[in-house]
Amino acid sequence: MNIRKRKDGLYEARYIKGRTEEGRIVYGSFYGKTLEEAAAKRQAERDKMTVRNNPPRQVGLIILGAGSHGAEVKEIAKMLRVFGRIDYLDDDTSKEGVIGTWQDAAKFRENYGCAIVAVGNRKLRELWFSRLTEMGYVIPTLVHPTAVISESAQIGAGTVVCANATIGTNAKLGVGCIISSSVTVARGATVEDWSHIDTSGIVRIHGGEADE
């Protein structure tokens, strides 16, 4: 264990602190009145060194679509403070924040990890959800911090819940949905996959249709 009891009665726990330019080991020491105390102090330092030498990898997010909905999705994602970087893919590469076209998605998989489709076209959302999944992307669910979500509600991957929306008890939101701002999904209601409920819409339990 490389722990010794010194003449003064203290226990000394040595650890490798680093190396000199010549490659020689530099030792550090922690002291305790008991062997266990010295060992615990050393282990705490080792844990800190592990974190310093292996910082957590920041997850990036690719947003497919740099239009108005894409801008809203990016704003929500930034508010959640879980993505290290957020960029767009769009066929119009002149737009701000666009780093490539949709067809470039595969090459960004390693550096970003997460992707979401942010367009109103239902068929495109469904098609590219499938493609992104096959590429190995994680498809997140994004919920605006001001939305009120019941603990019993279920929300599918790729769904975006915008500002001030209310999702009631036992409500179910499918995959790839857009729940616009101030929408109310009543308790027990279901929103089918790929649905778009527009601003201030209400989804009731009697069939899950939106009353605009």
Side-chain angles (χ1 to χ4, degrees), residues 161-190:
V161 181
C162 299
N164 299 313
T166 300
I167 312 300
T169 303
N170 294 319
K172 296 180 181 179
L173 309 184
V175 171
C177 296
I178 301 173
I179 308 300
S180 297
S181 59
S182 300
V183 164
T184 297
V185 180
R187 63 181 183 274
T190 297

Tab-separated table of all heavy atoms in Angstrom, residues 161-190:
chain	number	residue	atom	x	y	z
A	161	VAL	N	-40.918	20.380	-26.624
A	161	VAL	CA	-42.001	21.037	-25.895
A	161	VAL	C	-41.572	22.483	-25.648
A	161	VAL	O	-40.584	22.726	-24.951
A	161	VAL	CB	-42.303	20.318	-24.568
A	161	VAL	CG1	-43.452	21.016	-23.840
A	161	VAL	CG2	-42.648	18.853	-24.817
A	162	CYS	N	-42.308	23.422	-26.204
A	162	CYS	CA	-41.894	24.822	-26.176
A	162	CYS	C	-42.412	25.560	-24.936
A	162	CYS	O	-43.066	24.971	-24.068
A	162	CYS	CB	-42.363	25.508	-27.457
A	162	CYS	SG	-41.649	24.766	-28.960
A	163	ALA	N	-42.128	26.844	-24.886
A	163	ALA	CA	-42.368	27.654	-23.691
A	163	ALA	C	-43.832	27.657	-23.264
A	163	ALA	O	-44.741	27.733	-24.098
A	163	ALA	CB	-41.908	29.084	-23.939
A	164	ASN	N	-44.038	27.529	-21.946
A	164	ASN	CA	-45.350	27.674	-21.309
A	164	ASN	C	-46.362	26.605	-21.698
A	164	ASN	O	-47.560	26.767	-21.436
A	164	ASN	CB	-45.934	29.068	-21.594
A	164	ASN	CG	-45.056	30.179	-21.049
A	164	ASN	OD1	-44.618	30.124	-19.907
A	164	ASN	ND2	-44.778	31.170	-21.883
A	165	ALA	N	-45.909	25.534	-22.307
A	165	ALA	CA	-46.818	24.419	-22.579
A	165	ALA	C	-47.143	23.705	-21.264
A	165	ALA	O	-46.359	23.730	-20.317
A	165	ALA	CB	-46.188	23.447	-23.562
A	166	THR	N	-48.305	23.051	-21.233
A	166	THR	CA	-48.726	22.292	-20.055
A	166	THR	C	-49.100	20.882	-20.497
A	166	THR	O	-49.972	20.708	-21.355
A	166	THR	CB	-49.939	22.945	-19.368
A	166	THR	OG1	-49.591	24.270	-18.953
A	166	THR	CG2	-50.367	22.133	-18.153
A	167	ILE	N	-48.420	19.897	-19.899
A	167	ILE	CA	-48.668	18.493	-20.233
A	167	ILE	C	-49.243	17.830	-18.995
A	167	ILE	O	-48.579	17.732	-17.961
A	167	ILE	CB	-47.378	17.791	-20.674
A	167	ILE	CG1	-46.631	18.635	-21.713
A	167	ILE	CG2	-47.698	16.406	-21.209
A	167	ILE	CD1	-47.399	18.928	-22.976
A	168	GLY	N	-50.490	17.368	-19.093
A	168	GLY	CA	-51.215	16.910	-17.924
A	168	GLY	C	-50.877	15.496	-17.476
A	168	GLY	O	-50.093	14.770	-18.091
A	169	THR	N	-51.516	15.091	-16.398
A	169	THR	CA	-51.318	13.789	-15.765
A	169	THR	C	-51.608	12.657	-16.753
A	169	THR	O	-52.638	12.653	-17.431
A	169	THR	CB	-52.254	13.651	-14.555
A	169	THR	OG1	-52.006	14.725	-13.654
A	169	THR	CG2	-52.035	12.324	-13.847
A	170	ASN	N	-50.664	11.725	-16.857
A	170	ASN	CA	-50.789	10.533	-17.708
A	170	ASN	C	-50.947	10.846	-19.194
A	170	ASN	O	-51.359	9.982	-19.976
A	170	ASN	CB	-51.951	9.645	-17.248
A	170	ASN	CG	-51.700	9.043	-15.879
A	170	ASN	OD1	-50.590	8.611	-15.583
A	170	ASN	ND2	-52.721	9.024	-15.037
A	171	ALA	N	-50.618	12.065	-19.591
A	171	ALA	CA	-50.627	12.392	-21.016
A	171	ALA	C	-49.464	11.692	-21.708
A	171	ALA	O	-48.442	11.390	-21.097
A	171	ALA	CB	-50.527	13.898	-21.207
A	172	LYS	N	-49.635	11.428	-23.001
A	172	LYS	CA	-48.601	10.736	-23.768
A	172	LYS	C	-48.292	11.521	-25.038
A	172	LYS	O	-49.178	11.740	-25.864
A	172	LYS	CB	-49.058	9.319	-24.128
A	172	LYS	CG	-49.281	8.416	-22.920
A	172	LYS	CD	-49.721	7.024	-23.351
A	172	LYS	CE	-49.957	6.128	-22.139
A	172	LYS	NZ	-50.410	4.761	-22.543
A	173	LEU	N	-47.045	11.922	-25.160
A	173	LEU	CA	-46.576	12.596	-26.368
A	173	LEU	C	-45.717	11.616	-27.143
A	173	LEU	O	-44.770	11.048	-26.600
A	173	LEU	CB	-45.760	13.847	-26.021
A	173	LEU	CG	-46.396	14.851	-25.048
A	173	LEU	CD1	-45.491	16.066	-24.901
A	173	LEU	CD2	-47.776	15.258	-25.511
A	174	GLY	N	-46.020	11.428	-28.406
A	174	GLY	CA	-45.298	10.448	-29.202
A	174	GLY	C	-43.907	10.903	-29.605
A	174	GLY	O	-43.367	11.895	-29.107
A	175	VAL	N	-43.330	10.192	-30.544
A	175	VAL	CA	-41.985	10.451	-31.052
A	175	VAL	C	-42.022	11.602	-32.057
A	175	VAL	O	-42.933	11.707	-32.872
A	175	VAL	CB	-41.425	9.180	-31.727
A	175	VAL	CG1	-40.123	9.470	-32.464
A	175	VAL	CG2	-41.232	8.085	-30.694
A	176	GLY	N	-41.006	12.469	-31.984
A	176	GLY	CA	-40.814	13.493	-33.005
A	176	GLY	C	-41.895	14.553	-33.085
A	176	GLY	O	-42.105	15.142	-34.142
A	177	CYS	N	-42.573	14.824	-31.987
A	177	CYS	CA	-43.655	15.816	-31.992
A	177	CYS	C	-43.124	17.234	-31.788
A	177	CYS	O	-42.040	17.428	-31.236
A	177	CYS	CB	-44.670	15.502	-30.887
A	177	CYS	SG	-45.526	13.931	-31.095
A	178	ILE	N	-43.928	18.210	-32.199
A	178	ILE	CA	-43.671	19.611	-31.893
A	178	ILE	C	-44.849	20.114	-31.082
A	178	ILE	O	-45.988	20.150	-31.572
A	178	ILE	CB	-43.510	20.459	-33.169
A	178	ILE	CG1	-42.359	19.936	-34.027
A	178	ILE	CG2	-43.278	21.924	-32.796
A	178	ILE	CD1	-42.253	20.636	-35.379
A	179	ILE	N	-44.599	20.467	-29.840
A	179	ILE	CA	-45.622	21.023	-28.962
A	179	ILE	C	-45.293	22.495	-28.797
A	179	ILE	O	-44.397	22.869	-28.042
A	179	ILE	CB	-45.641	20.304	-27.594
A	179	ILE	CG1	-45.727	18.781	-27.777
A	179	ILE	CG2	-46.773	20.831	-26.739
A	179	ILE	CD1	-46.971	18.303	-28.513
A	180	SER	N	-46.000	23.333	-29.520
A	180	SER	CA	-45.659	24.753	-29.568
A	180	SER	C	-45.989	25.454	-28.250
A	180	SER	O	-46.572	24.869	-27.337
A	180	SER	CB	-46.398	25.426	-30.730
A	180	SER	OG	-45.980	24.865	-31.970
A	181	SER	N	-45.624	26.722	-28.186
A	181	SER	CA	-45.780	27.478	-26.947
A	181	SER	C	-47.242	27.601	-26.539
A	181	SER	O	-48.138	27.728	-27.378
A	181	SER	CB	-45.165	28.868	-27.093
A	181	SER	OG	-45.782	29.568	-28.149
A	182	SER	N	-47.463	27.514	-25.226
A	182	SER	CA	-48.783	27.674	-24.603
A	182	SER	C	-49.791	26.600	-24.981
A	182	SER	O	-50.990	26.774	-24.768
A	182	SER	CB	-49.359	29.069	-24.926
A	182	SER	OG	-48.495	30.079	-24.438
A	183	VAL	N	-49.338	25.488	-25.509
A	183	VAL	CA	-50.224	24.356	-25.797
A	183	VAL	C	-50.603	23.671	-24.481
A	183	VAL	O	-49.792	23.586	-23.552
A	183	VAL	CB	-49.534	23.352	-26.739
A	183	VAL	CG1	-50.250	21.999	-26.743
A	183	VAL	CG2	-49.471	23.913	-28.149
A	184	THR	N	-51.811	23.143	-24.411
A	184	THR	CA	-52.242	22.346	-23.272
A	184	THR	C	-52.618	20.950	-23.762
A	184	THR	O	-53.452	20.812	-24.665
A	184	THR	CB	-53.468	22.970	-22.574
A	184	THR	OG1	-53.103	24.243	-22.044
A	184	THR	CG2	-53.949	22.073	-21.435
A	185	VAL	N	-51.972	19.947	-23.184
A	185	VAL	CA	-52.340	18.561	-23.446
A	185	VAL	C	-53.007	18.060	-22.175
A	185	VAL	O	-52.363	17.931	-21.128
A	185	VAL	CB	-51.116	17.696	-23.800
A	185	VAL	CG1	-51.538	16.249	-24.057
A	185	VAL	CG2	-50.404	18.265	-25.027
A	186	ALA	N	-54.297	17.811	-22.263
A	186	ALA	CA	-55.079	17.487	-21.073
A	186	ALA	C	-54.668	16.149	-20.481
A	186	ALA	O	-54.048	15.307	-21.140
A	186	ALA	CB	-56.563	17.471	-21.419
A	187	ARG	N	-55.043	15.928	-19.235
A	187	ARG	CA	-54.713	14.681	-18.548
A	187	ARG	C	-55.274	13.494	-19.333
A	187	ARG	O	-56.415	13.505	-19.793
A	187	ARG	CB	-55.259	14.691	-17.126
A	187	ARG	CG	-56.759	14.762	-17.012
A	187	ARG	CD	-57.188	14.784	-15.540
A	187	ARG	NE	-58.626	14.770	-15.387
A	187	ARG	CZ	-59.401	15.834	-15.407
A	187	ARG	NH1	-58.851	17.022	-15.583
A	187	ARG	NH2	-60.715	15.732	-15.264
A	188	GLY	N	-54.436	12.485	-19.490
A	188	GLY	CA	-54.843	11.265	-20.166
A	188	GLY	C	-54.895	11.347	-21.672
A	188	GLY	O	-55.165	10.342	-22.341
A	189	ALA	N	-54.625	12.506	-22.252
A	189	ALA	CA	-54.689	12.659	-23.706
A	189	ALA	C	-53.433	12.110	-24.369
A	189	ALA	O	-52.371	12.002	-23.750
A	189	ALA	CB	-54.885	14.127	-24.071
A	190	THR	N	-53.564	11.765	-25.648
A	190	THR	CA	-52.448	11.220	-26.417
A	190	THR	C	-52.188	12.067	-27.653
A	190	THR	O	-53.128	12.414	-28.378
A	190	THR	CB	-52.742	9.771	-26.860
A	190	THR	OG1	-52.869	8.936	-25.700
A	190	THR	CG2	-51.610	9.233	-27.738
